[in-house]
Amino acid sequence: PEQILKTDPNPGPQCELEFWRRKADNLNSIHHQIEQEDFQIILNFLKDNKSTFINQFESLQKDMKASRREANENNIYFMGLEDYFNKLKSYEFLKLPSLFPPIIHMTAIIYEKSSFYKSPMRIINFIREICNSIISRAKENISGDILASFLVSRDDIDQAVEKLQLTIDVFTKFKDTYYKYKSEKSWKFPVNALFVNFDTFLERCYDILHITTTIQQFNRLKSCKIGGTKGHLLTEN
């Protein structure tokens, strides 16, 4: 998970959850080993013989203790979001907005109560990961291949319009939910940093929607017949 967070340009929130879970597990395991009697015997022997290794080890142990506390606390907070993020991946796309209020509410609690996540940058990155997950679901709902198949068929163009409007509606509801909490909590996170990918994808949906609705209009004109003495010529034009 740590490698994904560093290399994946658009990680989802599940990577964040898994990162803190594994980090907590690893540090707890190391702590358990250090507390074992055999290890303490070796450590006391080195102390008695004034080993130069002891100072380095104690410094490392202090850092590990702080990191372990951070990982365990973050893991506890994010465990409360795990079920919502699983649903974010599995729910029908139309039902996703029902998950937005509890997700943003839990994010607000983490920002307010957490000792280590009370950082605007961390919350910004986390909300961007949530946006990435919604974008991923939108791509499944109306992928390029799906759109292409709709656009080549006059009968299916209405389905393309419907799916695009649904996608725009879901995106709009997520931003509405965020802005509601923003006003209540007096958040001052820069919007451009939060929704840079989200708004780019939304803008592209609007562009494609404009194309598809234009095709709809011209499809209606295709069956139009103009009367009068010049009606045949005007109809062909």
Side-chain angles (χ1 to χ4, degrees), residues 74 110-123:
N74 289 341
I110 292 173
Y111 182 61
E112 291 174 1
K113 304 295 184 181
S114 172
S115 303
F116 302 97
Y117 236 80
K118 193 175 179 62
S119 160
M121 185 52 63
R122 280 194 162 181
I123 293 298

Side-chain angles (χ1 to χ4, degrees), residues 14 84-91 96 133 137 140:
Q14 287 82 3
Y84 293 116
F85 288 133
N86 288 335
K87 291 176 180 177
L88 195 61
K89 293 179 65 176
S90 61
Y91 262 27
L96 292 186
S133 185
R137 290 302 314 279
E140 295 172 5

Side-chain angles (χ1 to χ4, degrees), residues 22-201:
R22 292 197 180 184
K23 186 169 185 177
D25 288 345
N26 290 337
L27 291 175
N28 288 334
S29 177
I30 294 172
H31 173 75
H32 177 72
Q33 294 176 50
I34 291 175
E35 294 297 312
Q36 295 296 310
E37 183 180 355
D38 291 346
F39 189 92
Q40 292 299 318
I41 291 173
I42 296 173
L43 192 61
N44 290 330
F45 175 81
L46 293 174
K47 287 180 179 179
D48 292 341
N49 288 274
K50 302 186 184 305
S51 171
T52 56
F53 172 76
I54 289 299
N55 290 335
Q56 294 177 340
F57 178 79
E58 287 180 343
S59 176
L60 181 63
Q61 191 176 24
K62 182 180 178 181
D63 292 340
M64 188 205 70
K65 183 179 180 180
S67 295
R68 176 172 170 262
R69 180 169 172 260
E70 176 189 30
N72 281 319
E73 182 179 302
N74 289 341
N75 184 44
I76 290 172
Y77 277 114
F78 284 120
M79 281 174 63
L81 279 162
E82 184 172 14
D83 183 55
Y84 293 116
F85 288 133
N86 288 335
K87 291 176 180 177
L88 195 61
K89 293 179 65 176
S90 61
Y91 262 27
E92 182 183 348
F93 189 73
L94 181 63
K95 297 179 180 179
L96 292 186
S98 66
L99 301 172
F100 298 158
I103 287 175
I104 297 298
H105 179 70
M106 287 293 295
T107 303
I109 291 176
I110 292 173
Y111 182 61
E112 291 174 1
K113 304 295 184 181
S114 172
S115 303
F116 302 97
Y117 236 80
K118 193 175 179 62
S119 160
M121 185 52 63
R122 280 194 162 181
I123 293 298
I124 287 171
N125 288 334
F126 187 58
I127 293 177
R128 289 181 66 173
E129 290 169 357
I130 298 170
C131 290
N132 290 339
S133 185
I134 299 171
I135 292 172
S136 178
R137 290 302 314 279
K139 288 180 178 179
E140 295 172 5
N141 181 61
I142 187 160
S143 67
D145 291 340
I146 292 174
L147 273 177
S149 66
F150 286 159
L151 293 176
V152 298
S153 172
R154 178 183 173 187
D155 296 333
D156 291 337
I157 194 67
D158 291 342
Q159 295 184 48
V161 171
E162 183 180 351
K163 280 184 171 289
L164 284 164
Q165 289 175 334
L166 171 62
T167 300
I168 291 170
D169 183 58
V170 169
F171 274 51
T172 301
K173 286 179 178 177
F174 179 74
K175 292 189 73 173
D176 287 346
T177 303
Y178 168 78
Y179 281 118
K180 177 185 176 183
Y181 274 84
K182 180 179 183 294
S183 62
E184 292 177 356
K185 306 296 183 181
S186 300
W187 287 344
K188 297 181 180 179
F189 308 139
V191 176
N192 290 340
L194 281 170
F195 297 115
V196 57
N197 293 337
F198 200 75
D199 285 342
T200 299
F201 188 89

